[in-house]
Amino acid sequence: MIGVLGGYQTSFGELFEKGIEELILEASLGAINESGVKKERIDLVIVANKLAGKVVNQDHLGSITTSLLGLRVPGLRVEAACASGGVAINQAVQAIKAKQAKKVLVVGVEKMTDRSNGEIASALMGAASSEERRAGLSFPGLYALMATKYMEKYSVTRKDLARVAVKNHKQAVKNEKAQFRREITEEMVLEASLVAEPLGLLDCSPISDGAAAAVIGKDEGEVEILASEMVTDSLGLSERESLVELKATKEAAKKAYMQAGVRANEIELAEVHDCFTIAELMAVEDLGFCKKGEGSKGVKIPINTSGGLKACGHPVGATGVKQVVEVYKQLSGKAGERQVEGVRLGLTHNVGGTGGTVVVNILKKAI
Amino acid sequence: MIGVLGGYQTSFGELFEKGIEELILEASLGAINESGVKKERIDLVIVANKLAGKVVNQDHLGSITTSLLGLRVPGLRVEAACASGGVAINQAVQAIKAKQAKKVLVVGVEKMTDRSNGEIASALMGAASSEERRAGLSFPGLYALMATKYMEKYSVTRKDLARVAVKNHKQAVKNEKAQFRREITEEMVLEASLVAEPLGLLDCSPISDGAAAAVIGKDEGEVEILASEMVTDSLGLSERESLVELKATKEAAKKAYMQAGVRANEIELAEVHDCFTIAELMAVEDLGFCKKGEGSKGVKIPINTSGGLKACGHPVGATGVKQVVEVYKQLSGKAGERQVEGVRLGLTHNVGGTGGTVVVNILKKAI
């Protein structure tokens, strides 16, 4: 088996007082301490990050992290836009399977609030296709295209979308690391400024700083990683057959369920990629938690107990790692005030761009 | 065994007419065509790149590349400063060992000349420590510190350094893809403007655009990858015990020789990381091709038949992949005008920063 031995999330939010190195160190040491693994036994470090080269002029984060921790082990950075964290977890699993390493430290980190929103919005568009950028599209714009099509096809309203944001904000109240620990109402979502019709400000996940880390190891851990699957699709929406689903989510989920030997209806909680409210609806459907077009009616299991990207925050490189940390905390009974009782099987779903990359992990409480 | 099935290098240089997508496509299709592998059999894509987010505002290169090739397979980007290419090759080997993939396309790419030298110099410093940046150091400055110490300790002169540049330029004349296909003299190197004393302009590798790609596969190929080792060291020079060697090179080489079951004196040619003339001298010593301090006397085997970073060019993300492509071409007898006859065992050496990351690969002609 391959297991999660420890996990840690820094506070997410506008962390003006913390540099990228401090975030990396806090998350790394937090995860290592919780794992009970001696620092010196870590034999590989994988860092997930999208924007540090641009925002804080710092690349080479693999060597930075091993340097900060005083380790002399291989280190590298992986990037796949907002799926960087999921890809890093996936690569850690592969490294253990390849016998390259026995104990891997995965760190996801992002500093975003040190730049103006305009600069960050432009930098984020580096995850989209050049065609879409030339057309003047932004990520809210791209997801708005999907939302428009989806709402028309399934007779879904802005109010239906709003409930996703309301739910995730409510859940974030119980997460002391979340960026927004306050409830919002459907009315507030509907009355917020429109960003890209039909998506308003409160349909969108925020710009955040933060880090998350996990120690992944062989043959131990309270939580087992049953499956980790990474799938790509066309970068641009114009090449997709459908705008109301992410094909990469469906494929990654299918592969992961097969690898894990479980069915969608056996999953007991999930962290899904709710970069926009519409994204959560498509995700729960594409992951098989309900029928297509019925995501807004709600599903049977808790989704995004952390508060999701929407309310916990979305420091891009950290998100996919944080999702695994949250499910690990839930399955190992360490989720504190927001603990869901008796859960044994969880899933994480991390999306890059508009579905150009998707990673799905399935985790199980070890017996 | 894990083998190299095909390799391709685009022209390196100031390629104003080619965008990053064109470079990726040219290199990818070149390598795939040479490998004889049907495109559809590629089951993983790993892209090496450092600067595209900053220089051409394009991240998410894994999805870009699979999108460009019309493939629906996992894709990711790895980054470790100037060692990104070597790390990508290393990860391809690991993916095959982990049975994640059977045929991996590795693409290294960089666009650098679209920005001013000042912007690029600043962006490149993202590979160094924040301490060194605050001190106003540049990469020529950091290597100049090492050169000064080295020259003093081993009684080596600027003329000794210059011979490295002269040799690599001479070799690049025979490489139709090289950025500088013209010979230079020791006098030219000595008389060139000083960049950071004792390093002059012609002691430095250039700013380049370009891409290189290789198809790595299981149980086939004319060239076998006997070993691929990645090692990190402290990011900053201030934490190093010695300034006249790269500890990470020594460690990666030691591990690679052990893994491959060969000795340093059995290697018949090598591509080493000559980002500055001093770097090649330290490399040939740290790799064990001669005694410490005697690199300037020359070694018995051909070093940098491609022209090296100095004369073939140094598009950062492409370099580590190009080194493997060059050694593959030599070992499989496809190096054309610059073919070294009868070589069966080669090595590549790729450095990130000032030695924060080092990758050493050992390749052998398959029987």
Side-chain angles (χ1 to χ4, degrees):
Chain A
M1 71 166 269
I2 293 173
V4 183
L5 281 62
Y8 184 91
Q9 178 198 340
T10 71
S11 288
F12 284 4
E14 293 191 354
L15 310 176
F16 295 128
E17 73 289 4
K18 288 187 184 167
I20 193 165
E21 297 192 355
E22 285 167 284
L23 289 171
I24 288 173
L25 204 54
E26 180 187 338
S28 299
L29 293 178
I32 291 171
N33 286 343
E34 193 188 63
S35 73
V37 170
K38 279 192 184 140
K39 197 181 73 173
E40 292 68 28
R41 292 190 57 209
I42 300 290
D43 52 4
L44 176 65
V45 173
I46 302 179
V47 182
N49 174 267
K50 171 166 157 57
L51 297 168
K54 203 156 191 172
V55 172
V56 296
N57 196 20
Q58 187 68 69
D59 300 306
H60 211 179
L61 296 177
S63 176
I64 292 248
T65 305
T66 56
S67 225
L68 285 170
L69 293 170
L71 296 175
R72 293 289 174 271
V73 300
L76 72 151
R77 167 192 168 209
V78 297
E79 184 267 327
C82 300
S84 299
V87 168
I89 296 283
N90 177 274
Q91 291 298 294
V93 170
Q94 302 300 343
I96 292 170
K97 283 190 185 169
K99 300 193 169 80
Q100 183 192 8
K102 287 179 182 167
K103 303 245 181 313
V104 186
L105 173 68
V106 180
V107 194
V109 65
E110 210 75 60
K111 277 293 291 181
M112 301 174 78
T113 69
D114 289 3
R115 297 284 178 136
S116 71
N117 285 347
E119 284 175 288
I120 290 294
S122 160
L124 285 172
M125 284 311 287
S129 77
S130 53
E131 181 193 43
E132 288 169 342
R133 288 211 299 276
R134 278 195 301 271
L137 280 159
S138 62
F139 273 107
L142 287 163
Y143 276 90
L145 286 174
M146 294 192 267
T148 303
K149 189 80 185 167
Y150 180 97
M151 290 163 75
E152 188 185 292
K153 181 160 185 176
Y154 299 115
S155 303
V156 160
T157 64
R158 283 199 64 211
K159 205 170 168 179
D160 293 324
L161 296 181
R163 282 200 302 276
V164 172
V166 171
K167 167 182 72 69
N168 290 346
H169 268 258
K170 188 173 180 184
Q171 293 181 154
V173 173
K174 295 187 181 171
N175 183 354
E176 72 284 2
K177 304 293 182 65
Q179 184 162 2
F180 300 125
R181 299 189 67 188
R182 53 176 182 270
E183 294 203 42
I184 56 173
T185 62
E186 282 177 29
E187 291 64 38
M188 287 165 73
V189 181
L190 295 175
E191 285 166 15
S193 323
L194 275 179
V195 174
E197 198 181 357
L199 303 176
L201 187 64
L202 294 179
D203 286 286
C204 307
S205 58
I207 301 294
S208 321
D209 303 323
V215 177
I216 313 286
K218 191 168 163 55
D219 297 330
E220 52 182 324
E222 288 173 89
V223 171
E224 181 177 357
I225 302 177
L226 292 181
S228 179
E229 296 291 341
M230 163 172 60
V231 168
T232 56
D233 193 359
S234 72
L235 199 64
L237 291 186
S238 65
E239 296 166 62
R240 306 270 176 90
E241 287 163 28
S242 167
L243 285 182
V244 299
E245 64 176 34
L246 297 191
K247 195 172 157 192
T249 297
K250 293 174 79 171
E251 280 184 25
K254 188 178 167 189
K255 284 185 173 184
Y257 291 137
M258 192 170 300
Q259 173 69 23
V262 303
R263 294 185 305 276
N265 64 11
E266 294 180 84
I267 301 293
E268 295 166 329
L269 95 164
E271 290 283 306
V272 310
H273 199 92
D274 61 323
C275 47
F276 300 93
T277 48
I278 179 65
E280 179 165 322
L281 295 192
M282 292 197 298
V284 295
E285 297 164 5
D286 296 341
L287 291 166
F289 300 151
C290 65
K291 285 184 188 163
K292 195 69 210 166
E294 298 190 354
S296 64
K297 295 178 184 167
V299 297
K300 289 175 186 161
I301 62 171
I303 301 289
N304 289 331
T305 51
S306 70
L309 283 61
K310 174 67 200 86
C312 183
H314 182 27
V316 170
T319 285
V321 181
K322 182 220 76 177
Q323 294 179 323
V324 169
V325 170
E326 175 68 13
V327 171
Y328 158 78
K329 296 235 177 251
Q330 291 285 357
L331 297 182
S332 60
K334 295 173 183 161
E337 218 187 324
R338 65 187 186 283
Q339 181 68 48
V340 181
E341 290 306 321
V343 280
R344 302 181 54 84
L345 199 60
L347 177 148
T348 66
H349 165 253
N350 190 199
V351 177
T354 50
T357 302
V358 171
V359 179
V360 171
N361 296 309
I362 297 177
L363 292 89
K364 187 185 179 187
K365 183 181 169 72
I367 296 158
Chain B
M1 71 166 268
I2 294 174
V4 182
L5 282 62
Y8 184 90
Q9 178 198 339
T10 71
S11 288
F12 283 4
E14 294 191 353
L15 310 176
F16 295 128
E17 75 288 4
K18 287 187 184 167
I20 193 166
E21 298 192 354
E22 286 167 282
L23 289 171
I24 289 172
L25 205 53
E26 180 186 337
S28 298
L29 293 179
I32 292 170
N33 286 343
E34 193 187 63
S35 73
V37 170
K38 279 191 184 143
K39 197 181 74 175
E40 292 69 27
R41 292 192 56 211
I42 300 290
D43 51 5
L44 176 64
V45 173
I46 302 179
V47 182
N49 174 267
K50 171 166 157 59
L51 298 167
K54 202 154 192 175
V55 173
V56 295
N57 197 22
Q58 187 67 68
D59 299 306
H60 210 179
L61 296 179
S63 177
I64 291 248
T65 305
T66 55
S67 227
L68 285 171
L69 294 170
L71 297 176
R72 291 291 173 268
V73 300
L76 72 149
R77 167 191 168 211
V78 299
E79 185 268 325
C82 300
S84 299
V87 168
I89 296 283
N90 178 274
Q91 291 298 292
V93 169
Q94 303 300 342
I96 292 170
K97 283 190 186 168
K99 300 194 169 77
Q100 183 192 8
K102 288 180 181 164
K103 301 244 183 315
V104 186
L105 173 68
V106 180
V107 194
V109 66
E110 210 74 60
K111 277 293 290 181
M112 302 175 77
T113 68
D114 290 4
R115 297 284 178 136
S116 71
N117 285 348
E119 285 176 288
I120 289 293
S122 161
L124 285 172
M125 284 311 288
S129 78
S130 53
E131 181 193 44
E132 289 170 340
R133 288 210 298 276
R134 280 195 300 270
L137 280 159
S138 62
F139 272 107
L142 288 162
Y143 275 90
L145 287 174
M146 294 192 268
T148 302
K149 190 80 186 166
Y150 180 96
M151 290 164 75
E152 186 186 293
K153 181 160 185 179
Y154 298 116
S155 303
V156 160
T157 64
R158 283 199 65 213
K159 203 169 169 180
D160 294 324
L161 296 182
R163 282 200 302 275
V164 172
V166 171
K167 167 181 71 71
N168 289 347
H169 268 257
K170 188 173 180 184
Q171 292 180 155
V173 173
K174 294 187 181 172
N175 183 353
E176 71 284 2
K177 304 292 181 63
Q179 184 162 1
F180 300 126
R181 299 189 67 190
R182 55 176 181 270
E183 294 202 43
I184 56 172
T185 63
E186 281 177 29
E187 291 65 37
M188 287 164 73
V189 182
L190 295 174
E191 285 166 16
S193 325
L194 275 178
V195 173
E197 195 179 358
L199 303 177
L201 186 65
L202 293 179
D203 286 287
C204 307
S205 57
I207 302 294
S208 322
D209 303 324
V215 177
I216 313 286
K218 192 168 160 59
D219 295 332
E220 52 181 323
E222 289 173 87
V223 170
E224 181 176 357
I225 301 177
L226 291 181
S228 179
E229 295 292 340
M230 164 171 59
V231 168
T232 57
D233 193 0
S234 72
L235 199 63
L237 290 186
S238 65
E239 295 166 63
R240 306 270 176 88
E241 287 164 29
S242 168
L243 286 183
V244 299
E245 64 176 33
L246 297 190
K247 195 171 157 192
T249 297
K250 293 174 79 172
E251 279 184 25
K254 188 178 167 189
K255 284 185 174 183
Y257 291 137
M258 192 170 300
Q259 173 70 23
V262 303
R263 293 186 305 276
N265 64 12
E266 294 180 85
I267 301 293
E268 294 166 328
L269 93 165
E271 290 283 307
V272 310
H273 200 91
D274 60 322
C275 47
F276 299 95
T277 47
I278 180 66
E280 179 166 321
L281 295 191
M282 292 196 298
V284 294
E285 297 165 6
D286 296 342
L287 292 166
F289 299 150
C290 64
K291 285 185 186 161
K292 195 69 210 167
E294 299 192 352
S296 64
K297 295 180 185 168
V299 297
K300 288 176 186 161
I301 61 171
I303 301 290
N304 289 332
T305 51
S306 71
L309 284 61
K310 173 67 200 85
C312 183
H314 182 28
V316 170
T319 285
V321 182
K322 182 220 76 176
Q323 295 178 322
V324 168
V325 170
E326 175 67 13
V327 170
Y328 158 78
K329 296 238 178 248
Q330 290 286 358
L331 298 181
S332 61
K334 294 172 184 162
E337 217 187 325
R338 65 188 185 283
Q339 181 69 49
V340 181
E341 290 307 321
V343 280
R344 301 181 55 82
L345 199 59
L347 178 148
T348 67
H349 165 253
N350 191 199
V351 177
T354 50
T357 303
V358 171
V359 179
V360 170
N361 297 308
I362 297 177
L363 292 88
K364 187 185 177 187
K365 183 181 169 69
I367 296 158

